[in-house]
Amino acid sequence: MQIIDFIHDLTWAETPSDLKHMAARCLLDLCGTLVAGSATELSRIARDTAAAVYGGDEATLLLDERRASAPGAALANGMTIDAMDVHDGFRPSKGHAGVNVFPAALAMGEAVGWRGKDLLTALAVGYEVALRAGVALHRTARDYHTSGAWGALGAAAVTARALGLDATRTRHALGIAEYHGPRSPMMRCIDHPTMLKDGSGWGSMVGVLAGRLAAKDFTGAPALTVESDDVAAEWADLGQTWLMRDLYFKPHACCRWAQPAVEGVLSLAAEHHLASADIAKIVVHTFEAATHLTVARPADTEQAQYSLPYPVAAALAGGDGRLDPEQMTVPRIFDEATLRLADRVTMAVDESLEARFPAEALARITIYSADGSRFESGICSARGDPDDPLSDAELTDKFNRLAGAHLAAERVSALREACWGCAELDDVRRLIALLGPPPR
């Protein structure tokens, strides 16, 4: 199927049933992450700036209720989701599609009056375009760029669909989005964690603006990650093979690269009945990129999320095997007992695991106890990968924890039901009404 036909012609009825369910899973997970992210300083700054700079009355700044233009809402809402690193991702593209696509789809859906099934179909379209663009860009570019670089094409696709652009204007929208997508250096934010994060708010905004510009006959084609002969294989089975089936969902609120280590340490500690006080040293053997997550004593939530030693220690210190946003934010990140344990975590590159990255993100753990004992794990992966997925019940429990920390129980319940039942909504504004008012 040609990409432009795919963008405009896919219907809800034609969408495979498992993809319909996956779209609802993504919606639920993104909404939970949005609620958690809204409590951060990053989100507050983004929303205040969008309200001041991107004025308008097209779309809602979520968990805020102020209004902005659709591009401004996509920017702020994308940054709010990106503020808490606990949303879905895709291993081959080394990043996240939903955080780019969902804010654009919701802003445009609000602007044009989509039904719930229109939103979900747009999500399926946007994810598929973004994921394929991401694989294509990573294969043809030497630099490791943020998700916004290719997520912008997914946001442009849903915008073109919402605006009903013709084939020529849709082609230009994709070209504009690719050219202006934030091809920012991902490892900079890994090595020096700040609010820059994964560029996804910018990717969402660029995609919406690309569609708007193309609608006015601004030109930008071709998008080389779509049209180049070098990437033809990435698009050949569009509409037949769905990359969205291979998304992962995160159980823990930290960088995905740290999560195999978190799982391995929790498993070893449970197997050998080890408490934090019993541990003299933890060595994490993993792939090279994960060893850049070095901050053991974070000064803020960004440093806590882009760390490996801290989430390993925080997960152990929590005692329940969970690593939720509250453990990654002030004041919990300053707990001295947790920080002392984080100081005892070291990392080493394992060349055999490096060879398997990025197709797989793996770690193996060695724990040295205070009495001189040594405990070794096997090779550990992160839960939530396609071969070890989170069940609907687990994803719902995660949503309840993320949203329940900030919203009243009745609102959590209503939002959860609206996500699972989105296909039955006659207007996406019913979902937005639950995401509009600020948390308590």
Side-chain angles (χ1 to χ4, degrees):
M1 181 183 289
Q2 295 294 316
I3 183 172
I4 293 174
D5 293 337
F6 177 77
I7 289 171
H8 290 289
D9 295 346
L10 182 72
T11 66
W12 182 244
E14 294 169 337
T15 304
S17 59
D18 66 316
L19 268 297
K20 292 178 178 179
H21 186 66
M22 180 63 83
R25 282 168 61 89
C26 291
L27 178 62
L28 181 79
D29 203 55
L30 288 163
C31 285
T33 304
L34 174 84
V35 175
S38 71
T40 64
E41 185 70 359
L42 187 165
S43 174
R44 183 194 64 77
I45 293 170
R47 286 180 280 118
D48 286 350
T49 302
V53 176
Y54 294 96
D57 193 37
E58 288 182 310
T60 303
L61 300 180
L62 303 177
L63 281 303
D64 184 296
E65 216 171 21
R66 285 177 288 181
R67 308 281 292 167
S69 66
L75 174 70
N77 297 334
M79 286 187 166
T80 294
I81 296 170
D82 213 16
M84 191 53 63
D85 199 356
V86 70
H87 46 93
D88 67 78
F90 184 66
R91 189 80 64 206
S93 64
K94 300 169 70 173
H96 312 277
V99 61
N100 291 271
V101 172
F102 171 57
L106 197 62
M108 292 306 301
E110 182 177 6
V112 304
W114 269 345
R115 299 166 299 170
K117 63 179 63 176
D118 299 326
L119 173 67
L120 292 174
T121 311
L123 285 181
V125 167
Y127 266 89
E128 206 64 24
V129 171
L131 295 176
R132 289 173 185 270
V135 173
L137 187 55
H138 276 292
R139 190 166 64 74
T140 56
R142 293 182 178 181
D143 58 310
Y144 178 21
H145 37 268
T146 57
S147 298
W150 46 268
L153 280 83
V158 300
T159 302
R161 183 180 173 96
L163 295 175
L165 300 187
D166 62 21
T168 298
R169 292 180 176 87
T170 299
R171 181 170 176 254
H172 284 304
L174 295 172
I176 297 164
E178 181 195 69
Y179 193 85
H180 287 301
R183 194 160 162 179
S184 32
M186 187 68 234
M187 292 309 297
R188 173 178 163 186
C189 200
I190 297 293
D191 291 332
H192 308 284
T194 64
M195 292 181 183
L196 293 173
K197 304 298 288 268
D198 201 23
S200 299
W202 294 103
S204 193
M205 178 191 71
V206 166
V208 174
L209 283 173
R212 286 289 180 74
L213 287 167
K216 297 293 185 180
D217 293 326
F218 195 99
T219 59
L224 294 182
T225 52
V226 176
E227 298 188 26
S228 169
D229 291 342
D230 292 343
V231 301
E234 311 302 342
W235 300 95
D237 59 353
L238 179 66
Q240 302 169 25
T241 301
W242 290 80
L243 302 189
M244 194 178 179
R245 289 188 170 117
D246 292 326
L247 294 173
Y248 64 73
F249 291 88
K250 292 183 176 183
H252 304 299
C254 65
C255 178
R256 188 62 169 178
W257 296 350
Q259 297 201 18
V262 171
E263 295 287 352
V265 168
L266 288 173
S267 179
L268 266 185
E271 180 182 355
H272 299 286
H273 307 288
L274 299 172
S276 298
D278 301 324
I279 296 173
K281 183 179 180 180
I282 299 172
V283 181
V284 177
H285 311 268
T286 189
F287 51 97
E288 192 273 338
T291 65
H292 289 250
L293 301 166
T294 57
V295 178
R297 290 179 169 258
D300 51 43
T301 184
E302 283 72 41
Q303 290 187 358
Q305 292 178 61
Y306 284 139
S307 166
L308 190 150
Y310 175 78
V312 163
L316 277 173
D320 57 6
R322 292 176 177 168
L323 190 62
D324 284 342
E326 289 68 38
Q327 293 158 271
M328 310 302 286
T329 51
V330 176
R332 293 282 292 279
I333 61 172
F334 300 135
D335 177 71
E336 187 58 32
T338 302
L339 297 177
R340 286 196 298 270
L341 180 57
D343 289 337
R344 303 198 291 275
V345 178
T346 62
M347 294 173 285
V349 175
D350 183 311
E351 293 299 338
S352 67
L353 303 185
E354 171 66 14
R356 297 167 68 173
F357 179 77
E360 298 174 279
L362 304 167
R364 58 182 181 85
I365 311 300
T366 305
I367 294 180
Y368 298 88
S369 69
D371 65 7
S373 300
R374 172 175 167 161
F375 306 97
E376 297 271 2
S377 76
I379 294 176
C380 307
S381 61
R383 286 228 51 226
D385 278 350
D387 58 355
D388 185 21
L390 300 184
S391 67
D392 286 354
E394 288 175 305
L395 210 59
T396 297
D397 179 65
K398 173 188 169 183
F399 170 84
N400 290 339
R401 298 197 316 272
L402 296 183
H406 304 283
L407 304 180
E410 296 85 354
R411 189 171 168 192
V412 172
S413 178
L415 180 56
R416 182 180 64 244
E417 295 309 310
C419 289
W420 281 127
C422 183
E424 305 306 318
L425 296 180
D426 57 6
D427 193 323
V428 295
R429 295 180 185 91
R430 293 179 59 188
L431 175 66
I432 292 166
L434 295 168
L435 290 169
R440 60 174 180 260

